[in-house]
Amino acid sequence: MSAGAALEGRVAFITGAARGQGRAHAVRLANDGADIIAIDVCGPVSPTVTYPMPTSEDLAETVRLVEATGRKVLAREVDIRDLAALQQVVADGVEQFGRLDIVVANAGILSWGRMFEMSEEQWDSVIDVNLNGTWRTIRAAVPAMIEAGNGGSIIIVSSSAGTKATPGNGHYSASKHGLVAITNALAIEVGEFGIRVNSIHPYSIDTPMVEPDAMMEIFGKYPAFLHSFSPMPYQPVHHQGKKGLKEFMTPEEVSDVVSWLAGDGSATISGSQIAVDRGTAKY
Ligand SMILES: NC(=O)c1ccc[n+]([C@@H]2O[C@H](COP(=O)([O-])OP(=O)(O)OC[C@H]3O[C@@H](n4cnc5c(N)ncnc54)[C@H](O)[C@@H]3O)[C@@H](O)[C@H]2O)c1
């Protein structure tokens, strides 16, 4: 556990925790002192998603890494499109750990294509997971947070695609823009319970979701789309001793922001959109 254990005694519910950013957030919040409720679908959600999805072994590895910090973890294979299953895992987590303070609504999927050509399945799957599934996550978790009575922090994982045009994945952009609306209205709805809600907007994080081949195919066909996907030309902050050119950010760099939003250091921040992109969305 890190010095100070800023989240000691708190409980965090993290979706999409089998790998990538979700796993990094689970390990980081555990290092900060929180017990973890970790869920993931651990399997395919739609044939229109072309990158491999995680397996049960990936979620088991997250469990191993969280337990190595000395914190407790409840992990379960749950699809965020299934409200009853979300409510059950939240109830079981609260029964085991006594409370719920933090939600990281991180699960999501991505696919590529022009909106006027894609199948209904491609459109619906992205909206159903990223937008509807995130609403279901909140629907399951917020009553338990209010019941626990300790306030808390909800971090909604949107994307730079949630604040700007991203031709070639307009359905994804629509889902991630929708998360901004959820974030800001929810921040007002739950403010009276001492619960804060903010969205984060990462860009180019090194995870299996980023498929250079699929991106290159789209940009090859439609070169004008490239303007909407800024390169990461430099790293303005010297992060953990590293400096200079670097294309992708690591999930752990996003976890630094999630950790800050989860903790009391961000107590004045609610209904905010936090870009985690080294400034590239400004291009
Ligand atoms: N990688 C990037 O560059 C990037 C940039 C901006 C935003 N994001 C967002 O960050 C979040 C995490 O993505 P990542 O980069 O770690 O990719 P990832 O594919 O490694 O992780 C996403 C996780 O969500 C899980 N998931 C997907 N659908 C689910 C469902 N229906 N129910 C439960 N779990 C489900 C997956 O199984 C996977 O473990 C996503 O919301 C993504 O849209 C990623």
Side-chain angles (χ1 to χ4, degrees):
M1 199 180 299
S2 62
L7 302 179
E8 176 83 60
R10 298 187 203 181
V11 178
F13 176 41
I14 303 168
T15 68
R19 70 176 187 196
Q21 296 178 65
R23 175 191 282 169
H25 303 336
V27 174
R28 175 56 187 265
L29 297 186
N31 264 315
D32 289 346
D35 290 326
I36 305 294
I37 306 167
I39 65 148
D40 202 289
V41 67
C42 297
V45 296
S46 166
T48 60
V49 174
T50 52
Y51 55 88
M53 297 295 283
T55 61
S56 306
E57 289 68 45
D58 291 310
L59 188 57
E61 174 64 5
T62 298
V63 167
R64 194 189 67 72
L65 292 167
V66 170
E67 286 176 342
T69 71
R71 301 316 311 177
K72 294 198 265 318
V73 56
L74 168 63
R76 189 171 297 168
E77 293 184 24
V78 172
D79 189 326
I80 60 164
R81 294 173 293 185
D82 183 347
L83 179 59
L86 287 167
Q87 288 171 319
Q88 188 62 54
V89 75
V90 167
D92 293 348
V94 170
E95 194 185 321
Q96 279 186 35
F97 303 141
R99 55 194 280 174
L100 180 59
D101 308 271
I102 298 154
V103 176
V104 187
N106 163 82
I109 56 171
L110 172 66
S111 59
W112 293 89
R114 295 193 295 191
M115 281 185 284
F116 58 90
E117 293 170 325
M118 66 179 56
S119 66
E120 284 183 279
E121 165 66 25
Q122 189 175 356
W123 174 273
D124 288 344
S125 58
V126 162
I127 299 297
D128 213 18
V129 173
N130 296 1
L131 182 60
N132 301 340
T134 300
W135 169 73
R136 288 188 167 84
T137 300
I138 284 155
R139 179 67 186 83
V142 169
M145 294 176 79
I146 293 172
E147 175 76 19
N150 300 303
S153 177
I154 299 174
I155 297 124
I156 306 275
V157 181
S158 178
S159 167
S160 58
T163 55
K164 62 183 294 209
T166 54
N169 63 37
H171 57 331
Y172 179 81
S173 182
S175 73
K176 295 296 191 180
H177 273 79
L179 295 185
V180 173
I182 286 180
T183 298
N184 293 341
L186 187 66
I188 296 168
E189 291 182 0
V190 300
E192 67 175 292
F193 304 104
I195 299 170
R196 301 182 291 110
V197 190
N198 296 287
S199 56
I200 61 169
H201 298 262
Y203 181 63
S204 281
I205 317 300
D206 189 9
T207 72
M209 177 181 282
V210 177
E211 293 176 281
D213 290 351
M215 293 176 75
M216 285 311 129
E217 194 184 325
I218 283 276
F219 298 151
K221 278 195 213 163
Y222 318 111
F225 292 3
L226 250 179
H227 296 292
S228 303
F229 296 86
S230 316
M232 268 196 193
Y234 65 96
Q235 188 173 10
V237 285
H238 292 184
H239 183 81
Q240 294 171 354
K242 293 175 285 185
K243 59 181 179 178
L245 288 171
K246 193 154 168 268
E247 275 295 316
F248 286 96
M249 291 191 287
T250 64
E252 289 73 20
E253 288 176 291
V254 184
S255 300
D256 287 343
V257 179
V258 168
S259 167
W260 167 68
L261 283 172
D264 296 340
S266 60
T268 58
I269 315 290
S270 193
S272 282
Q273 279 65 65
I274 313 289
V276 188
D277 65 355
R278 298 199 193 111
T280 50
K282 299 286 182 266
Y283 282 84

